[in-house]
Amino acid sequence: MEANIYQAIAGGKRLGIMGGTFDPIHYGHLVAAETARVEFDLDNVLFIPTGKPPHKLNHKITNAYERFAMVQMSIKNNKYFKVSNLEIEREGPTYTIDTLKILHELLPKQELYFITGTDALLDLLTWREADNIFKMAKIIGASRPGYDSRKFFAEITKRYPNIKDRIFELEVPALAISSTDIRARVKNKKSIRYLLPDEVRLYIKEHKLYQ
Ligand code: ATP
Ligand code: MG
């Protein structure tokens, strides 16, 4: 990982990990990360934009450099938030388990908390080495409007009876914002103001993204 980021978070005890395509980042991501930080007393939250997400290989994704830049400008005023190019720099599809292994090696004393929205929770069971993901990190399932997490919690406690103390539900102020909707709005010449930081909105305009 980038040396300066590693140094900045090395002293912490609990690290939040916010993975995502961030195509583009929006206030839903930021509110989820901030709520998790405070509720779980995380020392830092590391945003990790995906390289080529294995489950999104068919839709055209904005290049990693631009997605990274949008995350970077969104978090610069929060001293607890950092962004890493760890997944972007890797070739081919990136898997969460590999990222967790790298982070664990770099920061062996930190407890890792993987933050994800309730929409992605059910998918988690199908991710590569799901068992190991649950061993390496605690999971924070942030509520997301339109997605019910009950099915996930029923399923997961059936499969992993002892997992209760490693998976947490987090109530987040409901923001029915998605990157998909933002991309569609741009395409249809609708406003995206107040759905994401202004700087990101201007960046999208300047770089002619999502048209
Ligand atoms: P897309 O529509 O392209 O899938 P997205 O808005 O779902 O984009 P992602 O980059 O896929 O954004 O999401 C990264 C993480 O943030 C996921 O765990 C997702 O569940 C969570 N997340 C995204 N939007 C919200 C939101 N509005 N509230 C809470 N969590 C969210
Ligand atoms: Mg998504």
Side-chain angles (χ1 to χ4, degrees):
M1 191 181 0
E2 312 88 295
N4 53 336
I5 289 169
Y6 172 62
Q7 263 176 9
I9 62 181
K13 289 197 182 78
R14 283 173 295 278
L15 176 66
I17 300 160
M18 185 82 199
T21 319
F22 304 122
D23 191 14
I25 188 166
H26 54 69
Y27 282 132
H29 301 127
L30 294 162
V31 166
E34 177 67 1
T35 309
R37 180 184 75 77
V38 173
E39 290 299 315
F40 289 86
D41 200 17
L42 307 175
D43 298 288
N44 294 102
V45 177
L46 189 60
F47 287 71
I48 310 185
T50 51
K52 283 196 174 71
H55 56 289
K56 284 184 182 171
L57 287 178
N58 43 5
H59 111 97
K60 190 180 162 290
I61 296 165
T62 305
N63 84 60
Y65 172 80
E66 289 172 313
R67 291 183 290 113
F68 181 92
M70 292 189 280
V71 173
Q72 201 169 37
M73 61 184 74
S74 302
I75 65 172
K76 69 168 190 298
N77 293 325
N78 186 329
K79 66 175 176 180
Y80 307 108
F81 285 3
K82 302 280 184 293
V83 57
S84 166
N85 66 13
L86 181 83
E87 292 198 356
I88 285 171
E89 292 294 301
R90 280 212 309 268
E91 282 287 314
T94 49
Y95 294 95
T96 297
I97 186 62
D98 299 329
T99 300
L100 292 176
K101 284 176 182 164
I102 292 170
L103 288 174
H104 179 67
E105 237 163 72
L106 287 168
L107 306 157
K109 291 192 181 138
Q110 299 213 20
E111 202 168 1
L112 305 178
Y113 287 77
F114 188 75
I115 305 163
T116 178
T118 40
D119 61 302
L121 271 181
L122 261 179
D123 299 346
L124 234 159
L125 294 170
T126 68
W127 288 8
R128 180 177 283 198
E129 292 188 48
D131 301 49
N132 281 331
I133 293 181
F134 300 133
K135 275 187 200 136
M136 298 210 59
K138 294 189 172 175
I139 310 290
I140 300 175
S143 60
R144 192 170 181 183
Y147 298 94
D148 188 356
S149 59
R150 270 175 299 188
K151 210 170 141 198
F152 167 78
F153 282 97
E155 183 65 29
I156 191 133
T157 38
K158 201 163 70 191
R159 279 202 220 179
Y160 307 94
N162 300 320
I163 213 163
K164 269 242 155 86
D165 55 339
R166 302 196 58 78
I167 301 210
F168 307 96
E169 277 186 279
L170 175 68
E171 196 66 41
V172 168
L175 295 174
I177 304 173
S178 74
S179 304
T180 301
D181 179 56
I182 289 172
R183 294 192 299 270
R185 282 171 182 272
V186 174
K187 196 159 197 256
N188 298 318
K189 303 202 163 26
K190 289 185 185 164
S191 174
I192 57 168
R193 203 172 217 156
Y194 310 126
L195 298 176
L196 35 59
D198 241 8
E199 273 176 291
V200 178
R201 179 174 63 84
L202 297 172
Y203 185 95
I204 289 170
K205 202 171 169 186
E206 206 169 295
H207 289 239
K208 301 187 166 55
L209 302 181
Y210 314 126
Q211 295 179 356

